[in-house]
Amino acid sequence: MEDYVLMTRLDALRECLRIVAANLDSKAWAPEEAEDARVELLGDSSLWTGLQTLVTEINRHIGLLDQIDEKLWKAPPDQPAALSAAWVHYGKSLRDSEGLLRECLEIIGSLAIRNQDLDDKLLYVADELIRDCMTVSISDGNYYLLVNSVIFSDAFSRTRARIIRLRFPAWTIWNLPFAAHEVGHVANWYVLNQERDQDEPLRVLTPFKDNQRASLVANDADLNELHQAGGGEARQAEDWADARLRVLLADAFATYTMGPAYACSAIMLRLNPLAKALRDMPADLQRAHVILSTLGCMNGDEDSPTRPYNTVIGRLKDGWEKALERSTPASALTDAEKAYLEQLAEAFTRDIGPQIFTTAARYPDGSPKDGWTKAQEWANSWWDQRKNGKPFSLPDNPTGKLRDALNAAWLCRLSITGDFDVRSRGHNDLANTATRLCQAIIGSRAARKISSPDRIV
Amino acid sequence: MQPRDLLQGQLDALRQQLNRCRDVADGKATPDRPEVVERLRRRVAARLDALVTQLERRHDVLAATVADDTQPAQGCWRELGQLTRDAAPVFDECLAFAQGSWARLHQLDEGLCTMADDLLEELAHRSDIGWLRFTLLATSEFYRDTADIIRIAYPDVSFWSLPLAAHEFGHYIGPKLVDTRKDPREYPLQTRLKGADAGLAEQQKVSGQATGGHTNKWHHLQEYFADVFATYTLGPAYAAAFILLRTNPFDADIEHGSHPSSAARIEGILWSLDAMAKPDAANAAAFGGMADWLRGFWQKTLQATGTAALPDVQLALVQQRVEDLLAMLASVTPERLCFRQQDWLRAEAAAGNLSQADPAGATRRDILNAAWLARLRVRQPDAYAIAKIADGAVALYQMVNTR
């Protein structure tokens, strides 16, 4: 049976898929000069292994289109039902392919930026940081690729191609902790998805999320009013509460895994005290409160012998509260709102996080090898260099983790003051050194991997 | 920490981002600057420069206000929020330029963007309205007036989708159309769009949104005009590309806020073709029954998928709107913009044997029509036969380029 329009469509979609598969081939992106080439673009990089999932998916779609074509061709002309079925299958394949092709273009765009070194090699650091976060939280060692976007809200739905989005042109070491927020969306989604197959008593995050959503609706006047109306409006209120909660939990996750670096990035660079809650987004005031509360919980109880984050929490709180006082004294959180957000942060940090993520997920503060101790050591050495008028230099033995380098950079940055030029120069020098430190850490990992290929790094 | 340190920190970060965009606009971000990237950059540099400069000025004013401790911080935070929102589309354009120019340089578009640029320049020349920009790859075809760059859908970079660029070009041209016979000069599409927005306050009341945006009617008028423009300038090639490559019959009857239903758009396109083919039309062109042919395909497709045809009342409304737009376009643009009988005859002649055709006298739009006509004439349209037609047409199209 022939249908000119459908056959044209099938050919066109098949061709599109073939072009994309060819463009995701590492040969197309191989650096022209091997010297100083970007590691992730080389043919044996794990980036290409990661993208194979996508190429397999594309080939599966091509196979489906071939099947539709064949069935249509074999169907006798007096069977309109076969034609109708072919259209239905094509329609489904088209819908599925559209999302896939969109993701592919984002990836190709990111590869283009990398190929031109427009990101100063920072995107690769981000990929590795994301991999660290995914490995330590849910033991997912797959390669997640950072892509660039102005729109920064839908990482949650974009897990098929394993991409995480970072706002353009925010390509500095200072913004990298935001990648952990997006990882938080993916990790929480992953856990919820896994719990769907588990018996109810074994679930942890699902009941927690349901309870928190109910509390959020009860605590928010607008959502509560909508919920009281019942029916579709109540469902709408729950959906919006769910979306807000996802953001708050991603903030808690990012602080939990990245430590003070995420709190610094969010409060110093992103949150605006005037940004009110939208239907599906919490107010920045609420986000800041969750972030600072999470860090507060990680700092230990009042009577703890060591309170590692006292200084940094004090500085961030001081800055944020002053900004609130000067800008929106009337819109401060109510006591009930504060209590709700604090219990959310506390429950996530002390109870939920340790149960659903690995022990290594939480940013460590007691180990001398890595974590906050290492970050402080590096920050102090940089600060000494600055005080003595020396340029920042790399530590002799970069044995820590990427998240330690980010924390060290932020810790040192908080002490840099002066006018725009002084600050700007100081921040840039520090950012360059911290980026080089990250690259050295990645390099030493690769070296260790080569020397002991069976060991999982 | 000083009270304004947070504000200052975010301002500094925004300044760094603006600097990065300026680097893209100035070409510093691509130090080797191969010829193709540089050529594109020159075309858009002034606009990007102007946009970044505006943002930088606002940033400087805000920085001065922040530095002045006597000014209230609330206004500063509000302006910072607004400035960040306003910067987003400019950043988006810079990113699109950096990525898109790279994709063109490395032939990810398989040469389609250059072919589209040439086609649009030809249409700009015919319409007497300048266009000094270029096309880039994106996830779908669209036009954004931030930097006037037209997007071509990736990965559909085949020769067959080239006519669809004319629709996006219609979005660029539409607001610039001017009726010089009137005093003061009138911008006929803008006048109509203003009229379409008359119900904006009412729509905002219903949707609960207080500011911004346009009515659905405004958006739909834009789409109808772009379709009329593409059909008027490219003839059957646009109709064939739109019907055969872009419309999904399953949701053809669904109208969106930004777009009329595909069924309505197709009726508008086919009606325009019919109107251009009428013997009493100023530029009558028969188009060899192409409109009927395409209508037949479309109706069979609707039947196969069980999608309802457009109701008569809606059909009448579409025809009324398209008739008005077509008449308006014809009245304010040079006659040579229209795809006429003589153009079609050249296309028919070339379609007979594309690989042997002599491009002398043929224009790009003639070759597009010739290719589509040849494709529709193929009895068994297998991938090989279609690719062969496309190859011949591309070769011919590129000969026009070099003439």
Side-chain angles (χ1 to χ4, degrees):
Chain A
M1 182 182 281
E2 272 187 56
D3 178 320
Y4 197 90
V5 180
L6 182 54
M7 283 159 64
T8 310
R9 296 300 176 79
L10 289 169
D11 287 343
L13 185 53
R14 210 166 10 222
E15 188 56 23
C16 285
L17 291 164
R18 281 199 185 118
I19 287 174
V20 169
N23 285 340
L24 289 178
D25 188 334
S26 63
K27 289 186 200 88
W29 301 92
E32 282 168 20
E33 289 172 24
E35 202 177 314
D36 200 27
R38 290 181 68 121
V39 188
E40 79 263 43
L41 292 181
L42 297 175
D44 55 354
S45 136
S46 44
L47 181 149
W48 303 111
T49 320
L51 291 185
Q52 274 313 303
T53 324
L54 217 52
V55 176
T56 309
E57 183 76 359
I58 291 170
N59 288 332
R60 193 179 67 79
H61 278 281
I62 293 176
L64 286 175
L65 293 174
D66 287 344
Q67 281 175 21
I68 299 171
D69 212 342
E70 199 181 328
K71 274 188 191 165
L72 183 67
W73 195 247
K74 284 181 181 167
D78 57 347
Q79 271 192 16
L83 182 57
S84 186
W87 268 107
V88 170
H89 289 135
Y90 163 75
K92 187 176 177 314
S93 201
L94 178 70
R95 271 195 305 280
D96 293 347
S97 306
E98 275 171 352
L100 186 67
L101 294 174
R102 222 180 348 262
E103 287 175 12
C104 289
L105 183 60
E106 286 184 315
I107 289 169
I108 287 168
S110 177
L111 293 174
I113 293 293
R114 291 159 193 253
N115 197 276
Q116 295 172 92
D117 267 344
L118 287 184
D119 62 327
D120 300 328
K121 296 192 169 70
L122 202 75
L123 290 178
Y124 184 47
V125 176
D127 291 349
E128 290 294 319
L129 180 72
I130 291 165
R131 182 139 69 158
D132 281 1
C133 283
M134 295 303 281
T135 311
V136 297
S137 58
I138 52 173
S139 306
D140 178 358
N142 282 308
Y143 198 96
Y144 281 74
L145 184 77
L146 193 92
V147 303
N148 329 104
S149 177
V150 170
I151 303 152
F152 193 51
S153 56
D154 56 354
F156 178 69
S157 64
R158 294 178 174 270
T159 52
R160 172 175 49 190
R162 297 210 182 94
I163 58 176
I164 302 280
R165 320 177 107 216
L166 184 68
R167 190 183 283 185
F168 171 84
W171 292 326
T172 65
I173 198 98
W174 311 116
N175 290 290
L176 281 194
F178 291 127
H181 174 95
E182 301 310 312
V183 171
H185 280 290
V186 179
N188 288 333
W189 169 84
Y190 175 87
V191 173
L192 289 170
N193 217 25
Q194 276 203 326
E195 287 187 359
R196 243 181 252 161
D197 300 330
Q198 290 172 347
D199 293 336
E200 211 161 308
L202 294 174
R203 296 177 189 169
V204 177
L205 187 58
T206 312
F208 171 73
K209 196 162 163 268
D210 291 345
N211 289 338
Q212 293 296 332
R213 186 181 53 210
S215 303
L216 181 58
V217 172
N219 270 293
D220 186 280
D222 293 338
L223 290 179
N224 200 13
E225 193 186 327
L226 199 64
H227 199 257
Q228 297 291 334
E233 285 178 280
R235 274 195 299 281
Q236 184 70 81
E238 284 177 7
D239 285 349
W240 287 337
D242 208 54
R244 289 192 203 181
L245 192 57
R246 280 202 298 263
V247 175
L248 295 175
L249 287 177
D251 280 331
F253 172 90
T255 315
Y256 185 74
T257 52
M258 292 298 302
Y262 180 71
C264 291
S265 292
I267 288 174
M268 301 294 291
L269 297 183
R270 188 63 59 83
L271 302 182
N272 183 329
L274 291 190
K276 292 180 182 158
L278 302 173
R279 287 165 169 172
D280 55 355
M281 273 295 280
D284 281 3
L285 268 174
Q286 295 168 320
R287 294 186 59 186
H289 205 75
V290 165
I291 293 166
L292 288 171
S293 301
T294 306
L295 200 58
C297 289
M298 293 166 71
N299 197 29
D301 297 324
E302 290 289 339
D303 54 355
S304 294
T306 54
R307 305 217 354 120
Y309 306 126
N310 258 356
T311 315
V312 71
I313 290 176
R315 297 197 71 162
L316 290 175
K317 256 192 180 162
D318 177 49
W320 183 247
E321 277 165 12
K322 278 180 180 154
L324 288 183
E325 275 167 30
R326 296 292 180 105
S327 57
T328 54
S331 66
L333 294 170
T334 63
D335 287 345
E337 279 178 302
K338 279 184 188 170
Y340 163 71
L341 298 168
E342 282 161 17
Q343 64 75 33
L344 183 146
E346 190 173 338
F348 183 87
T349 313
R350 296 198 171 143
D351 184 26
I352 305 299
Q355 286 191 70
I356 60 175
F357 302 127
T358 67
T359 321
R362 179 174 162 147
Y363 189 61
D365 58 56
S367 159
K369 282 196 301 184
D370 63 354
W372 188 237
T373 315
K374 180 60 75 178
Q376 282 176 305
E377 180 194 319
W378 286 341
N380 287 338
S381 109
W382 284 335
W383 186 240
D384 284 344
Q385 288 163 2
R386 184 168 171 83
K387 273 195 302 191
N388 296 327
K390 290 181 183 164
F392 295 122
S393 65
L394 288 186
D396 294 336
N397 185 13
T399 54
K401 302 265 165 54
L402 292 175
R403 55 185 178 177
D404 303 336
L406 300 185
N407 275 291
W410 264 112
L411 188 55
C412 187
R413 175 178 161 148
L414 288 178
S415 305
I416 296 177
T417 52
D419 64 19
F420 174 74
D421 286 338
V422 173
R423 278 197 322 271
S424 183
R425 242 191 337 269
H427 295 170
N428 285 341
D429 291 346
L430 189 54
N432 289 337
T433 311
T435 306
R436 282 194 292 125
L437 174 58
C438 288
Q439 285 159 352
I441 292 170
I442 295 169
S444 65
R445 274 178 190 182
R448 281 205 303 275
K449 209 171 176 178
I450 291 166
S451 63
S452 54
D454 296 333
R455 190 176 147 206
I456 298 167
V457 179
Chain B
M1 194 174 274
Q2 295 302 308
R4 292 183 179 240
D5 276 2
L6 283 193
L7 197 50
Q8 194 67 59
Q10 296 199 13
L11 260 181
D12 292 354
L14 184 60
R15 164 59 81 175
Q16 278 199 335
Q17 295 179 19
L18 288 168
N19 289 346
R20 202 180 280 269
C21 276
R22 177 158 292 292
D23 283 351
V24 172
D26 292 348
K28 285 182 199 150
T30 48
D32 49 345
R33 280 187 276 169
E35 191 272 332
V36 63
V37 177
E38 185 56 14
R39 187 166 52 84
L40 298 182
R41 195 192 64 77
R42 275 192 204 141
R43 286 182 166 212
V44 81
R47 173 68 68 87
L48 288 180
D49 180 46
L51 291 168
V52 175
T53 304
Q54 279 170 16
L55 293 169
E56 283 171 343
R57 281 193 190 130
R58 282 175 59 189
H59 180 280
D60 291 346
V61 171
L62 181 56
T65 316
V66 170
D68 179 358
D69 247 349
T70 60
Q71 299 292 321
Q74 190 169 7
C76 296
W77 278 108
R78 188 167 293 124
E79 170 59 6
L80 178 64
Q82 191 57 49
L83 189 56
T84 308
R85 280 191 292 280
D86 293 345
V90 180
F91 293 165
D92 204 8
E93 289 298 288
C94 285
L95 175 66
F97 169 69
Q99 293 180 331
S101 55
W102 190 95
R104 286 187 61 158
L105 178 71
H106 290 80
Q107 290 281 308
L108 253 61
D109 64 335
E110 303 196 353
L112 188 75
C113 287
T114 306
M115 289 196 279
D117 287 353
D118 291 336
L119 177 69
L120 301 187
E121 271 168 23
E122 183 179 307
L123 296 183
H125 176 66
R126 287 174 184 278
S127 65
D128 203 19
I129 293 175
W131 184 65
L132 295 169
R133 294 292 191 271
F134 48 86
T135 53
L136 291 176
L137 296 180
T139 48
S140 63
E141 288 102 0
F142 68 92
Y143 161 71
R144 191 168 287 163
D145 62 4
T146 315
D148 287 333
I149 298 172
I150 287 173
R151 270 45 168 225
I152 304 289
Y154 172 88
D156 186 7
V157 290
S158 75
F159 181 77
W160 305 109
S161 57
L162 200 46
L164 300 168
H167 171 96
E168 302 311 323
F169 193 58
H171 287 305
Y172 166 81
I173 289 269
K176 293 177 177 59
L177 290 177
V178 57
D179 192 343
T180 49
R181 297 164 301 181
K182 298 205 170 144
D183 189 22
R185 290 176 167 204
E186 191 190 294
Y187 292 84
L189 184 65
Q190 286 188 31
T191 308
R192 283 165 174 78
L193 289 169
K194 218 171 171 181
D197 252 352
L200 183 61
E202 194 54 36
Q203 185 177 300
Q204 283 172 343
K205 220 166 137 186
V206 175
S207 69
Q209 287 180 336
T211 54
H214 294 285
T215 58
N216 294 352
K217 202 173 164 189
W218 185 95
H219 288 292
H220 291 190
L221 189 61
Q222 290 270 27
E223 295 306 320
Y224 281 123
F225 174 77
D227 281 338
V228 165
F229 177 83
T231 314
Y232 185 74
T233 53
L234 294 188
Y238 176 67
F242 184 72
I243 295 172
L244 291 168
L245 298 180
R246 282 292 179 274
T247 324
N248 185 349
F250 280 102
D251 57 15
D253 53 348
I254 298 172
E255 184 177 291
H256 299 276
S258 61
H259 284 74
S261 71
S262 304
R265 289 180 62 186
I266 288 177
E267 290 300 342
I269 292 165
L270 293 175
W271 190 92
S272 304
L273 268 188
D274 285 341
M276 288 162 70
K278 272 184 188 163
D280 58 340
N283 303 307
F287 302 138
M290 280 281 276
D292 290 339
W293 208 354
L294 291 168
R295 190 174 280 116
F297 282 146
W298 179 240
Q299 281 168 355
K300 267 189 211 161
T301 302
L302 288 181
Q303 280 165 12
T305 52
T307 310
L310 204 64
D312 288 346
V313 180
Q314 274 191 42
L315 188 63
L317 282 172
V318 171
Q319 289 174 356
Q320 197 184 349
R321 187 168 289 177
V322 167
E323 184 175 12
D324 169 57
L325 291 171
L326 192 63
M328 179 270 283
L329 181 62
S331 70
V332 296
T333 52
E335 204 175 287
R336 63 187 177 178
L337 183 64
C338 180
F339 189 75
R340 291 168 294 184
Q341 179 68 10
Q342 68 241 41
D343 303 307
W344 178 250
L345 290 176
R346 279 198 302 271
E348 272 191 320
N353 191 346
L354 273 167
S355 57
Q356 299 293 315
D358 175 6
T363 62
R364 294 180 183 92
R365 60 183 182 178
D366 299 342
I367 296 163
L368 282 177
N369 276 282
W372 268 107
L373 182 59
R375 177 175 176 159
L376 292 171
R377 278 177 179 167
V378 174
R379 284 195 173 274
Q380 290 203 338
D382 59 88
Y384 174 75
I386 289 167
K388 206 175 156 207
I389 295 170
D391 288 348
V394 168
L396 201 57
Y397 192 94
Q398 283 167 343
M399 284 168 79
V400 176
N401 272 348
T402 53
R403 269 213 311 269

